[in-house]
Every structure is written in structure tokens, then in C-alpha cells.
Amino acid sequence: MRSAVIGSTGYLGTRLVPRLLARGDQVTVLVRSPEKLARSAWADRVDVVPGELGGDPAALAHLVEGADAVVHLVHALDHADFPERDRAGAHAVAEAAAAAGVGRIVYLGGLRPPGGDASRHLASRAEVADIFLASPVPTVALEASIVVGSGSASFEMIRYLAERVPVLPAIPWLHHRTQPIAVDDVLHYLVAATVLPPEVDRAFDVGGPDVLSYLDLVQRYARLAGLPQRIAVPLPVPVPPGGPTVAAAAMELLSPLPRTLVEPLVESLRHELVCGPSLAEAVAAMGPPPGGPTTYDSAVRAALGRRRDGADPAEWEPSPRPSSSDGDGAGPSSDDGSERPAALALATDPVGSGGATWRWRTRADARASARTVWSVLQRLGGDTGWYTPPGVFGALGWADQLLGGVGAYRGRPHGRDLVVGDVIDAWRVEALEPERLLRLRADLRVPGRLWLQFTVVPQGQGSRLDVELGFAPSGLAGVAYGAALRVGAPLVFPWMVRGIVGAAGS
């Protein structure tokens, strides 16, 4: 089957393409920014058509030529004139698909609010769906509310509200209901829709099993992330007409999300967005997601990197956003670790996706072998110490004990190699690959997740030691702690790396 994807470098596109490839499809993508596509692990497995959706009919015609299905996932929400841009793009796609004899258009839009009084964002999404449905090409328009997964703009708004705003103003829309859907469930419906028979030419509501208020979404996220419960306090004055603009400006200060993207989304929160009867019809036509519809709590756990076995929050994936060199999988079979789950942030997602994770890295070459450097890493902590400037870890432990924490010195195992779960002073072994990788998670009372990772790389007759200190902040205290790390890490950890390499005989 040949599938053409418009929006392959966007949030859903980067996760959909690997699934189509896994199904055996020949995939063609329209790409405006080749450098962004190059950051995807599957870039060399697709046919690339350079060009823009608007103003490049030749590129669009090339894209859809011979396609069995066209999946349309783009929107211009970050432009002030997004309704006009999206309308023109939809007409161009519909006309090109009809001329090429494409068998199916699949589009993901937004749920339609009752009464028809929609925000500009939702009205534009509905207009695009109607343009496709009015075309001669059989169309499935999937209509969803909030997509839950790291990298989704709506979900990132929930994340930053929960993590950085302990008290929410009780504006009316906080109590409006919505029906969120996990990103994996959306991908299931998108893939299934491409192979529906031609007589299926309609819109379907898609959503998860939970109907919750927007306040519920924030409070549940806080609980699942191990944060104090967020509360809503009534405003002493009515919400002004420019409320969405003010809220968008506040979100821009609290998060990396741009105001141009946030404001249309905030405006749409004034609606109740709950699926209608067509949700059951969607499940009947395309089948339920594997394992059944994903609950909101399960979707949040997946976005946080929490393991399916119900591990506690301390065992969450400590690095929610990979570097571009890590690639991305987002495929359907990620339980074995071969592909990065779709619910986690990818290197191609906007800055701040997956939380405002901060990393500091350094490296040092060693004349000693990788095995020798590894043996030094195996002895870190306890009586050996950490090769840091004198008093640094002692001060850290003293401060932690004042806060009721474990302190810096708890000893370490002796007479054997380290294993996952071992305690080394204020740290715990979280991941270990002999002679290659050691990742430690801090048991200190810090406002977020703090980890320290050592990677040993063979290099000729010697080796290289790479060190990463990472921190995923929680709350405003986490933001302040991260600022302190930015100052302190370059002063402390190069000293540590030089000490480890020196102890290995370099």
C-alpha cells in the first residue's frame, strides 16, 4: 500500500510514519524543512517530496500520485491567519487527491462543540473536515479533544500548569468537561482509517473512556507526577473578555510554549468537548485500540515514562526527551525497548516537550582501557569518595538532612560488582550495562528527578568517559534548583571526571 503523509515532521506525523512503515506501506512525505526530517530515524525509509502545502501544486501532485491514502495532519495554528491558511491547504489537497484518483483521505481534526458556537480554532478544524468530506475522495475525518502524550501542545499545557502553578484561578472553563485520548489510541485510529472500504465517507468522534473536567486533568496529572494537589481559588472579579489572551501570556511565561500556539487552544477550552454516539461507531468500524481504550491515568503514566508494571514514580524514565542522535521509533512494538514509545517526547518535538529537562554533559579521554575506567566507576562512593572538590558532597548531604532526607553518605556494597538497585551514598543504581553504562538516580530531597550517567566508550588503545548530569524539575522550586545546577555543575563535575580518569591511570 502507498500512503502519502502531509505533516510528517509534526507531533503526530513523526509517530504515525513508523507505524505505516511497520505495516509494510510505501510512504511518501511532503517536507518543507529537510533538516527537521533528517532528525527522524526513519528519514531514509520514505520517499521525500520537497515543497510547501500552500503555493506548490506541482509538489502536491507529485506527493499524491499513485497514493492509496493521503493522511492530512497539518495546521497553521501558530500563524494569526491560520483559518485562511488551513482552508487553502485543504482545498489544495482535496483537488490534488481527486485528480490523482486517490482512494482515501484521512484527517484528524477537533471535536465539534454542541450548539455550533465554536472557537476560531475548532471552527477551522471543522471547516477543513467539511472540505474533505465534500470532495469526491472518500474521507474519514477523525475528531478528537486533547491528545495525551509528551509533545502534544494541549498536554504540555496541562503539564506546565500542574507543575508550576500550585493554585489555579477558578475561571469557569476549568469545570468544562472534555474527553481526552491517548496518543497511541489516536495512532491506532489513523492507521486503521487508511484501509476502510470506500463506502465509509464520514466523520467519527474519537476519545478515551474518561470524561473529565479540565481541572480534573490538571489535578490527576499532579497526583500521578507525585506533586501536591493543585487547588482552584475563586476570582474576586469576573473574567475579562480578554481572558484567553491573558491566560496565553501567562502560559508563555510558565512554559516554552509560544503564545501564538497557546491562545487558540486556551480559547477552545470554553467549550465542553465530549464525544457523541459516533465514538462507538468508530470502534465498530476500525476496532478498539490494542488492549482497549486507554484511560487518562494510564496515558499520563505513559507520557511520564512510568513503567506498565506499576513501578513507583522514582522508577520513571529519567530522560524524557532524547537528543537528536538518539533517533525516534514511536512504533507500535516498543515494549522490548527497540523503539521509543509514542507517548514519550521525541527529538523532533518542540523545545520543552516532555517537561523542561535540563542536561549538562562533559567528557574526557583516557589512556586506560574501557575495562580499567569501568573498574574505577565500580568503586565510586563510600570510602573512595566521588573525586569532587573537598566538602561539596558533605555540604549537599547536610542540606538534604536538614530537609529530612537521606544525606550524602550511606555507604555502598563491597566485595562484588554493582547491580541495579544498589545504594551508593545519596544515589541509587538505576541502569547498568557492564563496562559501558552506569546511571545513578539521586535519592536526595530535590524538587524533581536528578540523575548522573557515566558512559565508557572504547577508543583505540584507550577509552573515553562521557558524563551526563540531568534534572527534570517539578514545580517552581524545581525551576530554581535547576538554575542553581546550571551554575554549580560546570564547577564540580569536570573535577570529578578528571579524577576518575586519573584514577584509571591516565
Side-chain angles (χ1 to χ4, degrees), residues 364-369 372-373 376 462-463 497-506:
D365 293 327
R367 290 195 298 269
S369 67
T372 302
V373 173
V376 176
S463 58
V497 174
R498 290 193 296 269
I500 293 171
V501 169
S506 298

Side-chain angles (χ1 to χ4, degrees), residues 425-468:
D425 294 333
W427 304 81
R428 188 178 300 274
V429 178
E430 185 172 66
L432 184 148
E433 298 176 29
E435 298 188 17
R436 197 191 82 82
L437 181 142
L438 173 65
R439 187 168 71 223
L440 307 176
R441 183 192 73 234
D443 281 347
L444 298 165
R445 284 188 176 273
V446 296
R449 301 193 304 279
L450 178 66
W451 66 93
L452 180 61
Q453 179 168 296
F454 303 91
T455 305
V456 185
V457 182
Q459 195 169 256
Q461 297 298 314
S463 58
R464 187 184 78 231
L465 176 62
D466 294 341
V467 178
E468 174 185 282

Side-chain angles (χ1 to χ4, degrees), residues 6 42 57 70 78 104 184 202 244 372 375 389 405 419 435 467 483 485:
I6 303 171
W42 42 262
V70 173
D78 52 349
R104 162 76 56 202
D184 281 293
R202 56 167 298 181
T372 302
S375 69
V419 297
E435 298 188 17
V467 178
L485 282 178

Side-chain angles (χ1 to χ4, degrees), residues 295-336:
T295 65
Y296 176 72
D297 285 8
S298 294
V300 170
R301 289 190 185 99
L304 290 169
R306 191 171 182 179
R307 298 173 183 171
R308 292 186 179 184
D309 60 8
D312 63 41
E315 297 188 21
W316 290 345
E317 163 68 40
S319 183
R321 179 183 167 88
S323 65
S324 57
S325 61
D326 293 330
D328 58 74
S333 57
S334 56
D335 290 340
D336 61 357

